[in-house]
Amino acid sequence: MATSPVHLTSTFHHTTATHSYDIRWTSIGATTAPPLIFIHGTPWSSRVWHNYAQTLSRNFQVYLFDNPGFGDSPLGTPLPAQEHRITKEIALDADLAEQSEVFAALYDFWAQQDGWKQQGKRPHVIAHDHGGLMSLRAHLLHGAEYASLCLINVVALGPFGQPLFKLVAENEGVFNALTGPVFEGVVESYIRDAAFGELSREVMEELKAPWICRGKEGRGGFIRQMVQANSRSTEEVEGRYPEVGRKMPVVVIWGKEDRWIPVETAGRLKERLNAREVVLIDGAGHLVMYDQPGKLGVELGWWLSSVSQQ
């Protein structure tokens, strides 16, 4: 698989009722090919998809982007004179409402710019972690239509949270005060726990860079997303999950050794979504794309091949 980085060369600007966003994105591959969108989770960025994106761009037009406050995309900026409307729930974006709305707007922008509707195209979507909840919200609440949906170790069913999320949420000031090697150690430990195997130094540096290399801004962003994770909710959409599998083919892929979201969640999610199947990958944790890149690549290739022929 390719290893050179993919640069997010374009910016999408979007304004919600309370915030202004600048989302970094790019697409690679032939514009005549079927569209394929990758969605990353937390605390990651689109970098987790680079190898897969480059490989699959031989047969798809692949879209990559960084969520607000992750990777190369800055956190949303509160609009002037709207501060009074930004409640604690909105500030935390506890159910990922704002991020999902921004993704749905980006989806609409791509659809118009690249003529998906005129050409009768719908994108395939591959999502990881909270990208799963984003993709489901964008579909169920904002009308984003997909050709297929592949959900990998996703956040989509409650209850959520790890003890660390609760600890950070209850001691946010203390964690925000951490600096230097102490904070870096917290980030590394958190990332390491997501993998079943040992991550290479190169991969670790890449995954932690957005949080470590931006000083106070990066530190605050990392703590914020952990506090956000402690307040996550799916109540607005979970009751509608059975609709999803009736509208499109869905597959659930799970690293069997996931310490963040137990593997039994995969079976529950398959039933709720009316998904076609569950694929369990041995020797992989939450970061299945690093633990078992070859196995995941085979599964993604098989899935996209099968749904593209329908």
Side-chain angles (χ1 to χ4, degrees), residues 139-160:
H139 171 66
L140 292 169
L141 302 181
H142 301 285
E145 297 292 336
Y146 312 141
S148 71
L149 181 59
C150 175
L151 301 172
I152 304 172
N153 291 72
V154 294
V155 170
L157 292 175
F160 302 111

Side-chain angles (χ1 to χ4, degrees), residues 51-80:
N51 286 344
Y52 300 98
Q54 291 187 34
T55 300
L56 291 169
S57 67
R58 294 175 57 190
N59 298 301
F60 296 88
Q61 183 179 10
V62 178
Y63 295 80
L64 293 169
F65 70 101
D66 283 347
N67 282 315
F70 294 80
D72 294 338
S73 295
L75 195 64
T77 303
L79 296 175

